[in-house]
Amino acid sequence: MSNTKQIQSALISVYDKSNLEPVIEKLKLLDVKIFSTGGTKSFIEKLGVSVTAVEDVTQYPSILGGRVKTLHPKIFGGILARRENPSDLSEMKQYDIPKIDLVIVDLYPFESTVASGATDQEIIEKIDIGGISLIRAAAKNFEHTLIISSKNQYQKLIDLLEMHKGLSSLAERKQFAVEAFNVSSHYDTAIFKYFNKDFSVPAFKQSIQNGEELRYGENPHQKGFFYGDLNAVFNQLHGKQISYNNLLDIEAAVQLISDFDEVTFTILKHNNACGIASRPILVEAWNAALAGDPVSAFGGILITNKEIDKDSAIEINKIFFEVIIAPSYQEEALKILKEKKNRIILIQKQKEFPVVQFRSLLNGVLVQDRDVKIESAKDMTVVTKVEPLLKEIEDMIFANKVVKHSKSNTIVLVKNKQLCASGVGQTSRVDALKQAITKANSFKFDLNGAVMASDAFFPFADSVEIAYQAGIKSVIQPGGSVKDQESIDFCNNHNIGMVFTGTRHFKH
């Protein structure tokens, strides 16, 4: 069996005719016999190129409004025949089946039709049958047949036709087959997900076409990849390639800032906010966020929900950081921030993200809805004699947003819409609180009048006791402990206001 195969015949049937003309011209130069049908046949004929109708081969017309055109043994026999198999060759001769060396086909635009808001019937009509069958048949028989399953491969095909005069190697055909099965599997996954939204068949299927290899994973000895379209989310204006760890922090940053409407600046390290503040003026928000932990801010990820101006850029530029994200930048600000060549500067474009999260675990995948709940004053139930003041309620709303996006167990201390400190990722809530208080004291924060937020209930009264000793005046927590009353009693006896939200915000 020869490794190299000459393209002598081609079946072409595509929905999207763009960029097809150069391919047709190259096939014409090589005197390749072309089979086609419907609109593709008309397109080729208008180019002045000879084409044989599929109907002339099958002696059967296109039927059912075009639903059945190429589904015929004479077409699939020509694609699937094993050229070295005497029985296959004998049957091809017996039934007058033409050999097909090249298949160029695409698929009806199912995903874009769904995205357009089309009706169910319009969507169903965009489920390709013939095209997907042709792709699978040609890819299966890659030893003899070359499959082009996307217009994105046209240039590769043109190069092959020009440089090798229509000759293809086994490795080339197998590569195209791999890409074809990628196309077909992605297409089937999209169709399944569309239908399954109403039935919830317990199957996990995801398919993302775009992917890139990162420099490495979390550590240099680990490989890392990102599958998705970062260009749809960000414009990268400056800096080096975004790393695996950068992406983890960027995800945390984007989700956190999305909960804030006021002018807010946030600094993150290892997926947690080490500084965040809301202020009327951006540079003030930056200075207040940085004051929360100027040590951890080194090498951090910065994000804001307001355009970066010159005054802010001057202050921001005084520290080393990895990434900065904003909706826009003033020209003078951008010039300042670009002074460091490796600094990653991003404009965030996309604001809405999938509401379903998943992660690999053991021999399977965990799936859950994203935590999109944001508590407001109406979600708070005052459980103490002391009712928090309006200013304290505003701080509790702020703190509860931060605690929601921090690693559990976590405690967040806030005053005047500024993060004073947080204790994150601790094995006990008391340890998280002690960590936060120690950190706040080390940066000279006055916690008198500050508020405390907890991602989950207090199992005992010890946390509110420690908070009281530090000067905390208001507490927001989910509630739900069998010993809630102990915490309530302590707060009542020491003039502390406490509210329950009824919503836990664990994050692991």
Side-chain angles (χ1 to χ4, degrees):
M1 180 179 64
S2 174
N3 189 330
T4 303
K5 300 292 182 181
Q6 177 73 48
I7 296 173
Q8 297 177 324
S9 58
L11 171 65
I12 307 175
S13 180
V14 296
Y15 180 88
D16 183 354
K17 316 294 188 298
S18 60
N19 303 321
L20 181 62
E21 182 175 350
V23 175
I24 301 300
E25 295 296 341
K26 295 300 179 185
L27 293 173
K28 179 183 177 182
L29 289 175
L30 293 173
D31 199 27
V32 173
K33 183 176 180 62
I34 298 176
F35 303 96
S36 191
T37 185
T40 307
K41 174 177 173 291
S42 299
F43 177 86
I44 297 171
E45 287 175 332
K46 287 178 182 179
L47 298 176
V49 177
S50 177
V51 55
T52 299
V54 166
E55 293 86 347
D56 292 341
V57 176
T58 63
Q59 296 298 302
Y60 217 93
S62 171
I63 61 172
L64 305 181
R67 280 190 164 196
V68 181
K69 290 178 286 192
T70 57
L71 294 169
H72 194 280
K74 281 198 171 185
I75 299 302
F76 281 85
I79 295 170
L80 286 163
R82 294 159 290 189
R83 312 299 200 260
E84 81 289 350
N85 186 303
S87 177
D88 285 8
L89 296 176
S90 175
E91 289 182 349
M92 288 181 73
K93 183 176 180 180
Q94 178 183 354
Y95 297 111
D96 193 24
I97 297 175
K99 182 180 65 170
I100 298 174
D101 305 309
L102 168 67
V103 175
I104 302 176
V105 64
D106 65 3
L107 301 172
Y108 290 158
F110 179 82
E111 288 179 283
S112 61
T113 303
V114 172
S116 73
T119 66
D120 283 348
Q121 189 56 44
E122 290 170 328
I123 291 170
I124 289 170
E125 287 304 317
K126 288 298 184 287
I127 297 176
D128 206 309
I129 303 301
I132 201 81
S133 301
L134 291 169
I135 287 174
R136 291 179 62 85
K140 175 179 179 176
N141 202 32
F142 68 87
E143 289 188 355
H144 307 285
T145 309
L146 194 151
I147 173 64
I148 299 296
S149 53
S150 166
K151 66 180 181 180
N152 297 329
Q153 299 170 325
Y154 286 175
Q155 189 55 53
K156 290 182 182 178
L157 175 60
I158 289 172
D159 292 343
L160 184 149
L161 296 173
E162 284 183 342
M163 293 187 292
H164 303 296
K165 307 300 181 184
L167 288 170
S168 65
S169 68
L170 180 62
E172 288 169 330
R173 295 191 299 277
K174 192 169 187 178
Q175 176 64 42
F176 280 113
V178 171
E179 294 175 16
F181 284 124
N182 180 37
V183 168
S184 65
S185 63
H186 177 81
Y187 195 76
D188 284 338
T189 296
I191 295 170
F192 170 80
K193 291 175 71 176
Y194 171 74
F195 279 92
N196 199 42
K197 69 182 189 298
D198 296 325
F199 293 95
S200 299
V201 172
F204 178 80
K205 294 183 186 293
Q206 292 291 329
S207 178
I208 300 174
Q209 293 288 68
N210 301 316
E212 65 174 295
E213 184 172 3
L214 305 174
R215 296 197 302 274
Y216 48 81
E218 279 189 284
N219 301 291
H221 63 277
Q222 296 171 270
K223 286 187 176 181
F225 298 84
F226 174 76
Y227 295 98
D229 185 5
L230 285 179
N231 292 327
V233 185
F234 303 108
N235 280 338
Q236 183 167 351
L237 306 180
H238 186 72
K240 61 186 178 180
Q241 182 191 17
I242 299 173
S243 72
Y244 185 100
N245 290 331
N246 288 157
L247 285 170
L248 291 175
D249 285 328
I250 288 170
E251 156 73 7
V254 165
Q255 297 303 329
L256 173 57
I257 202 69
S258 69
D259 282 356
F260 289 86
D261 296 320
E262 295 179 86
V263 176
T264 303
F265 221 122
T266 304
I267 307 167
L268 292 95
K269 284 289 285 291
H270 299 290
N271 310 156
N272 295 298
C274 58
I276 179 170
S278 295
R279 295 289 185 271
I281 300 173
L282 186 64
V283 69
E284 294 177 357
W286 162 254
N287 287 330
L290 180 62
D293 189 345
V295 175
S296 296
F298 182 86
I301 306 295
L302 318 183
I303 190 167
T304 183
N305 54 7
K306 184 175 174 61
E307 180 178 73
I308 304 278
D309 55 29
K310 180 182 178 182
D311 290 343
S312 300
I314 290 171
E315 294 301 313
I316 294 166
N317 200 43
K318 292 178 180 179
I319 74 163
F320 167 74
F321 60 89
E322 288 267 342
V323 181
I324 186 166
I325 309 165
S328 58
Y329 301 82
Q330 291 182 1
E331 187 174 344
E332 290 180 311
L334 197 55
K335 184 177 180 181
I336 292 168
L337 295 173
K338 284 184 175 181
E339 290 177 1
K340 303 295 184 181
K341 69 176 184 178
N342 288 328
R343 181 178 285 166
I344 298 169
I345 302 176
L346 303 174
I347 289 178
Q348 184 181 346
K349 299 183 293 184
Q350 183 176 331
K351 299 295 178 65
E352 300 294 328
F353 297 94
V355 295
V356 176
Q357 297 175 304
F358 51 87
R359 65 168 77 174
S360 60
L361 185 146
L362 299 176
N363 64 349
V365 176
L366 274 177
V367 180
Q368 70 168 355
D369 296 332
R370 186 183 295 277
D371 185 357
V372 296
K373 186 170 177 55
I374 303 173
E375 285 75 33
S376 64
K378 68 179 182 180
D379 299 304
M380 300 178 185
T381 300
V382 179
V383 296
T384 52
K385 295 176 182 178
V386 174
E387 291 201 17
L389 303 174
L390 177 61
K391 175 180 173 297
E392 293 168 336
I393 290 174
E394 290 177 345
D395 276 350
M396 287 194 289
I397 292 173
F398 182 101
N400 208 50
K401 291 176 181 178
V402 178
V403 87
K404 164 188 165 183
H405 292 278
S406 302
K407 295 289 186 180
S408 299
N409 288 315
T410 180
I411 294 290
V412 167
L413 306 179
V414 166
K415 187 176 182 180
N416 299 324
K417 295 182 181 178
Q418 177 188 24
L419 176 64
C420 300
S422 61
V424 298
Q426 298 302 302
T427 53
S428 80
R429 206 151 300 281
V430 167
D431 285 345
L433 175 56
K434 289 179 178 178
Q435 181 189 63
I437 293 171
T438 300
K439 195 172 185 179
N441 290 336
S442 71
F443 293 116
K444 310 302 181 185
F445 277 100
D446 179 8
L447 293 179
N448 285 295
V451 306
M452 173 174 71
S454 175
D455 61 332
F457 65 65
F458 297 117
F460 306 101
D462 48 5
S463 290
V464 290
E465 293 176 18
I466 296 169
Y468 167 74
Q469 294 167 6
I472 301 298
K473 296 301 181 185
S474 296
V475 178
I476 181 170
Q477 60 139 321
S481 169
V482 294
K483 295 188 177 182
D484 275 344
Q485 194 59 48
E486 293 182 8
S487 296
I488 294 171
D489 290 343
F490 184 89
C491 289
N492 284 334
N493 292 333
H494 296 83
N495 294 318
I496 297 174
M498 183 162 65
V499 302
F500 287 177
T501 65
T503 301
R504 188 181 72 184
H505 288 296
F506 270 167
K507 184 181 179 186
H508 294 97

